[in-house]
Amino acid sequence: MKRILVVILSASIFASMMQAMTLKQAKDLYKAGRFADALPAMEEFYKKTPKNASYNQWYGACLYETGKKAESEKYFKYALDKKVADAARYLAQLSLERMDYAAFALYLEQFTEMIDGEEDALSETASKGLSHLMRVEEMLNRVEKIEIFDSITVSKNNFFSFYRLSAEAGKVENISIGNDSIVVYEPQSGNRRLMALPDSLGIDKIMESNRFPDGKWDTPTPLDIATDGSQLFPFLMSDGMTLYFSDNGSKSIGGYDIMMSRKDLSNGEYYEPQNVGMPYNSPFNDYLLAIDEMTGIGWWATDRNAPQADVVTIYIFKTNNIRENYDRTETDVYGFAAVTSIGATQNVDSSYDSLRDAIKAIEEVSEVRDFEFTFVIKNGVVYHYFDDFRSSEAKGLMHKRIALSADIDELKADLSNQREQYASASNAARNRMTSTILTSERNLENKIEELARVDNHIRAIEQRLIK
């Protein structure tokens, strides 16, 4: 009997030792950020002792980090009720992902109060998480005050085709490079293109291609903008220095965020990019901020609150000459940051009819306007409108060219008629007509030679101005 008791006691001690080791192993995996590996053990510990606050926290974190975010929330709330600090951090992150910025701020405040300056003691995962949340908190302190006067929900594929930009703002379009379709930004000058292409590691980076004098494009080269993420949708301001693009690296608060960088003219390099903040950015994907200085209209696209995965919302807003932020102490900024209502952003004393008219005018020009002419300046550069000319002299010569072309067409028609009459005329009549026909032929030749000189003059002037 004694021997049986000793065996039972030894087995019990061994089982306890094994359970303690398993918990230690699970905690080590947890601390190392190996949440998928720790999840089965943490689930077992929680099920055995469901009122243990730490088990709730660890199990909830493993669920969250492995993509089961909705399931994790109740475990964090239980742990927070028992004063587990990291539960507040996770609840802040969950609130952020729902754009519930009011709840986010409260949970983050609870977390910072509970750790009370002991950030150095946080795990690597918690430390990174806190840095991310504090960046969001800083953004909430500088939500830009903009007036959004319209929005449209469109397919994510080619959403940029719905942007209505003036010619001065440049254009965003799809081009074909080999078998690939690439989204490019091209300024009004038409001398360069910006696009996102995979680098040597297969990560999309903003690259630039310049047009040669013969109209061909050189091989795209990286702009060397320092981010640790994938870069998409470049847009260059008319100053040629200020660049907006989307990036999903460590400066993002979730998905792709819109960044801004400026070019250092002394060395041609770009300064460290900055997140443009809210309301433009969110925990979701935010793309292609385009500022049209000619119309005073801005555009950006986001998939926040998207009813389905393949659509985005384009917000259209009145631009500011100087950035003005909401005062968080006086204004409930959370709705403005999330853009819960575009009507709330509008000034009740303002009319946006002139801005809508500007968009309508661009739409009418792009959809209805017929070519005034077609004239090749050089390979890859074709003018269709008088507005295309950079030189007033060349524009005047184009008027002369059009008149010359009309004269030539008229001379050709007249000469053709004379030759038909000549073919059926008598010998006497032919003798009288010969001199007239020869004179018409010389006039036509002179006009054609003059047209060639005008064409060369136009091209010479404009090519000097195209960089």
Side-chain angles (χ1 to χ4, degrees), residues 144 146 148 159-160 163 165 169 172 185 194 232-238 242-247 256-261 274-281 285-293 297-302 304 313-320 323:
E144 185 173 359
I146 60 173
I148 303 172
F159 70 89
F160 47 84
Y163 285 39
L165 303 175
V172 182
Y185 168 77
L194 299 178
L232 297 174
F233 298 115
F235 180 85
L236 189 67
M237 295 290 288
S238 60
T242 306
L243 177 70
Y244 294 103
F245 64 96
S246 297
D247 184 270
Y256 281 91
D257 273 13
I258 298 167
M259 307 287 169
M260 184 275 292
S261 180
Q274 302 298 318
N275 190 308
V276 301
M278 296 172 174
Y280 310 104
N281 289 323
N285 293 307
D286 301 279
Y287 307 115
L288 189 54
L289 177 62
I291 305 296
D292 190 335
E293 294 172 294
I297 297 171
W299 307 71
W300 97 89
T302 178
R304 70 185 79 177
T313 297
I314 298 173
Y315 287 117
I316 311 167
F317 62 98
K318 178 181 178 182
T319 60
N320 298 321
R323 177 167 179 145

Side-chain angles (χ1 to χ4, degrees), residues 48 151 239 309 346 349 387 465:
K48 289 177 181 178
S151 68
D239 61 9
Q346 297 170 7
D349 297 323
D387 292 343
L465 299 176

